[in-house]
Amino acid sequence: MTTAPERTGDLYPTRGAEEVLVERKDPVVWSAPGTRGPFTDEDLAGFDRDGFLAVEQLITPDEVAAYHAELERLVNDPGMRADERSIVEPRSQEIRSIFEVHRISEVFARLAADPRVVGRARQILGSDVYVHQSRINVKPGFGASGFYWHSDFETWHAEDGLPNMRTVSVSIALTKNHDTNGGLMIMPGSHRTFLGCAGETPKDNYKKSLQMQDAGTPSDEALTGLASAYGIKLFTGEAGSATWFDCNAMHGSGDNITPFPRSNVFIVFNSVENAAVEPFAAPVRRPEFIGARDFTPVK
């Protein structure tokens, strides 16, 4: 366990009396051109420009089957359902997400350490990385709720204490992503502008926000402005495809009212040089299963 560093100045103020727009002060791609890794320089230039990059097949069909079977095992485990790391749907009371899956499951731990996965994270962030958060998301058909528009960094900065935008996420599809079953939507280029949200963070906000976000939610006016400036990209693809996206990209997903389930494994890598300090805009830290305090590099 590595001790958290001293807190420094706040580059990205949020959760104040009013919304604020702040120009990004950090690089998007931290490694130098020509750095060896799974991504090409062209790939990284696209990621720098758009704030995301889709990979058509990150894992094979056989691997998809193995990871999906592990997801099903966890979701149907009564002990897991009672675990605080499991989040349930407000309406159906079915499991919506299970956090810290790289610690719960050896299968998902191997995925987080797979060179095809962690190698890309190191390439984008230009350093060794640790897992700030991991989870499986289960979005079954016929009414599973979506995730409202948000910037992950706004929450991770405000409530977990990540100082800088040196964090990247990967969403790996374990079922087919149709254009109708609640897929990931991102505003291309929105990662260049930080939207500091209005309103104080309630104590233990995570207990509510993981089911239905409130604090840290952008206003309709701000979202309209960003969407008008950047547009919206909807991601589709086969099981085994993946989307890498920057921590400050404005994104969300809709409800799934189709018969077709949408499940994915979601892993957040943070640079070891950007370790969490005390929260910038919350009274207490979130639990470690949501925002890690173990900064040991993935090997």
Side-chain angles (χ1 to χ4, degrees):
M1 182 78 68
T2 307
T3 303
E6 293 293 325
R7 177 173 161 175
T8 56
D10 186 356
L11 297 176
Y12 301 103
T14 190
R15 311 285 174 96
E18 297 180 350
E19 281 186 322
V20 293
L21 292 172
V22 178
E23 184 179 352
R24 186 188 185 110
K25 297 176 172 61
D26 294 305
V28 178
V29 175
W30 290 73
S31 62
T35 301
R36 293 183 62 184
F39 283 136
T40 66
D41 282 353
E42 184 179 5
D43 291 334
L44 293 175
F47 186 88
D48 184 79
R49 179 189 65 243
D50 297 329
F52 61 81
L53 186 65
V55 177
E56 187 173 332
Q57 186 182 65
L58 183 66
I59 57 176
T60 67
D62 286 346
E63 290 172 316
V64 169
Y67 292 128
H68 194 271
E70 180 70 351
L71 178 148
E72 290 292 330
R73 182 187 72 81
L74 292 173
V75 168
N76 291 298
D77 179 353
M80 197 68 252
R81 184 179 180 80
D83 194 293
E84 66 173 345
R85 292 170 290 187
S86 294
I87 311 301
V88 299
E89 284 279 354
R91 289 174 290 184
S92 69
Q93 294 299 299
E94 296 298 320
I95 287 180
R96 169 192 180 103
S97 300
I98 298 176
F99 281 80
E100 212 173 43
V101 290
H102 72 294
R103 295 196 181 279
I104 293 171
S105 163
E106 291 184 5
V107 173
F108 287 117
R110 290 194 295 271
L111 179 62
D114 189 303
R116 294 169 295 178
V117 177
V118 70
R120 285 178 163 89
R122 292 190 191 110
Q123 210 176 354
I124 291 170
L125 300 180
S127 69
D128 279 335
V129 298
Y130 70 94
V131 176
H132 176 70
Q133 184 185 105
S134 70
R135 66 178 187 261
I136 48 175
N137 293 322
V138 184
K139 192 180 272 191
F142 301 116
S145 55
F147 294 85
Y148 197 69
W149 290 106
H150 63 286
S151 153
D152 286 329
F153 179 75
E154 193 278 337
T155 298
W156 298 338
H157 182 69
E159 300 185 40
D160 296 340
L162 295 191
N164 295 95
M165 295 180 184
R166 199 169 180 180
T167 314
V168 66
S169 302
V170 60
S171 175
I172 304 172
L174 299 182
T175 53
K176 186 172 181 176
N177 285 267
H178 302 274
D179 58 4
T180 53
N181 66 340
L184 176 66
M185 296 181 288
I186 296 180
M187 298 184 187
S190 60
H191 62 304
R192 294 286 181 181
T193 302
F194 175 73
L195 177 60
C197 297
E200 293 185 1
T201 309
K203 186 178 180 181
D204 292 338
N205 178 56
Y206 76 94
K207 293 180 180 179
K208 180 180 178 182
S209 67
L210 295 179
Q211 290 186 328
M212 190 65 66
Q213 193 161 341
D214 187 8
T217 302
S219 69
D220 291 352
E221 292 77 14
L223 289 171
T224 299
L226 291 171
S228 298
Y230 300 118
I232 296 173
K233 165 72 173 178
L234 170 66
F235 290 90
T236 59
E238 298 295 325
S241 62
T243 305
W244 290 85
F245 58 102
D246 179 80
C247 59
N248 191 48
M250 190 62 68
H251 67 287
S253 64
D255 295 351
N256 182 13
I257 61 172
T258 76
F260 310 114
R262 177 182 173 265
S263 298
N264 69 300
V265 54
F266 179 77
I267 306 172
V268 180
F269 294 100
N270 188 40
S271 169
V272 296
E273 298 172 14
N274 189 44
V277 294
E278 291 304 314
F280 284 86
V284 294
R285 301 175 180 178
R286 297 197 297 175
E288 291 195 29
F289 69 83
I290 301 173
R293 294 280 161 172
D294 181 350
F295 312 131
T296 305
V298 177
K299 297 297 184 183

